[in-house]
Amino acid sequence: MERIVWFLTGNAGKLEEARHHFASMGIEVRGLEVPDGTIVEPQATSLHDVATSKIQQALPHLPQEGGMLMVEDAGLFVSALNGFPGVYSSYAHETIGCQGMVKLLSHLVSEDPLQAKKLRACHFEAVAALWDGEQILYGHGVCPGSIAMELQGDGGFGFDPVFIPSDLDEHGEPLSPETLGALSTHGQTFASVSLETKHAFSHRRRALDDLLQQLPRS
Ligand code: ITT
């Protein structure tokens, strides 16, 4: 029988990415609907704590037919802003958006592209938490990169139009900004590349892989 993961998320982009990824494992991902106001986003300072709180709040709403329950919390951490917006990324995206992020960093420019990348360094981070029926398993993923000088591309969601991932080595691991990798978006943002390409780099894919490794195969 196909395994089911109920994914609590209000973000259609995240649901699509998780579906795409879990399908290869024969796991069906379904969106978990809960009445408005059921889940209170905690004022926590770590993605791990936010994810744990949401799992605990959502557990009573797991459908009778059973299955696993997953939440995944992500954020964009900008070095020059001491990690802001981090756990507040959703709010920052709703308020200042990608345009505001570019504006916040507009003073961080250099004619040297490498220096510019370093000044505008950031990373996406994701924590996926999954209730497997007995315990909560956690997966963690990071994707380093830099903030683009302007919005680019119309795919993806959230801060994708301003996020340029760092290159990857031949094993798919991220490299420091000065190193040219085996896989590169050549300065393109996540919003300018295919979902497959985003997945090769993405914090979400890494967090979900980390989680999948902890699940029994059947
Ligand atoms: P949930 O209902 O699942 O919590 P959310 O949109 O609030 O959906 P997160 O808290 O995980 O999602 O992420 C916070 C924000 O960080 C999100 O709204 C985006 O603006 C940004 N973000 C997270 N992952 C991203 C990605 O892969 N690409 C672009 N932006 C991303």
Side-chain angles (χ1 to χ4, degrees), residues 103-200:
K103 226 173 176 177
L104 272 181
L105 301 194
S106 60
H107 59 298
L108 299 175
V109 285
S110 169
E111 282 179 10
D112 172 6
L114 175 57
Q115 185 57 17
K117 265 195 214 171
K118 285 183 176 168
L119 288 171
R120 303 171 72 85
C122 62
H123 66 271
F124 271 127
E125 194 170 333
V127 170
L130 183 117
W131 170 257
D132 69 357
E134 287 176 6
Q135 58 182 330
I136 304 177
L137 303 173
Y138 294 93
H140 183 237
V142 175
C143 174
S146 59
I147 299 291
M149 297 298 296
E150 56 190 27
L151 274 66
Q152 182 202 101
D154 49 19
F157 68 92
F159 288 106
D160 280 344
V162 291
F163 182 83
I164 302 170
S166 298
D167 286 6
L168 305 179
D169 69 14
E170 63 275 20
H171 307 294
E173 293 308 316
L175 293 160
S176 57
E178 59 273 18
T179 320
L180 279 181
L183 191 61
S184 174
T185 67
H186 304 285
Q188 287 188 289
T189 64
F190 269 170
S192 306
V193 299
S194 67
L195 188 56
E196 269 69 25
T197 302
K198 177 176 174 181
H199 271 245

Side-chain angles (χ1 to χ4, degrees), residues 1-7 27-30 32 55 58-59 61-70 130-135 215:
M1 196 182 90
E2 191 162 71
R3 287 183 292 173
I4 297 171
V5 167
W6 293 95
F7 187 11
I27 298 175
E28 184 189 340
V29 177
R30 294 187 191 166
L32 177 67
I55 281 271
L59 261 181
H61 302 276
L62 196 59
Q64 295 271 311
E65 63 194 273
M68 297 177 277
L69 170 65
M70 183 171 78
L130 183 117
W131 170 257
D132 69 357
E134 287 176 6
Q135 58 182 330
L215 280 180

Side-chain angles (χ1 to χ4, degrees), residues 7-11 14 17 41 47 50 54 71-76 86-94 124-126 156-161 163 190 198 202-204:
F7 187 11
L8 175 78
T9 179
N11 183 321
K14 283 170 58 170
E17 290 187 15
E41 184 102 18
L47 294 172
V50 175
K54 286 204 221 162
V71 306
E72 182 261 302
D73 240 75
L76 175 69
V87 292
Y88 309 108
S89 293
S90 189
Y91 183 68
H93 186 260
E94 272 167 40
F124 271 127
E125 194 170 333
F157 68 92
F159 288 106
D160 280 344
F163 182 83
F190 269 170
K198 177 176 174 181
S202 116
H203 50 302
R204 177 156 304 103

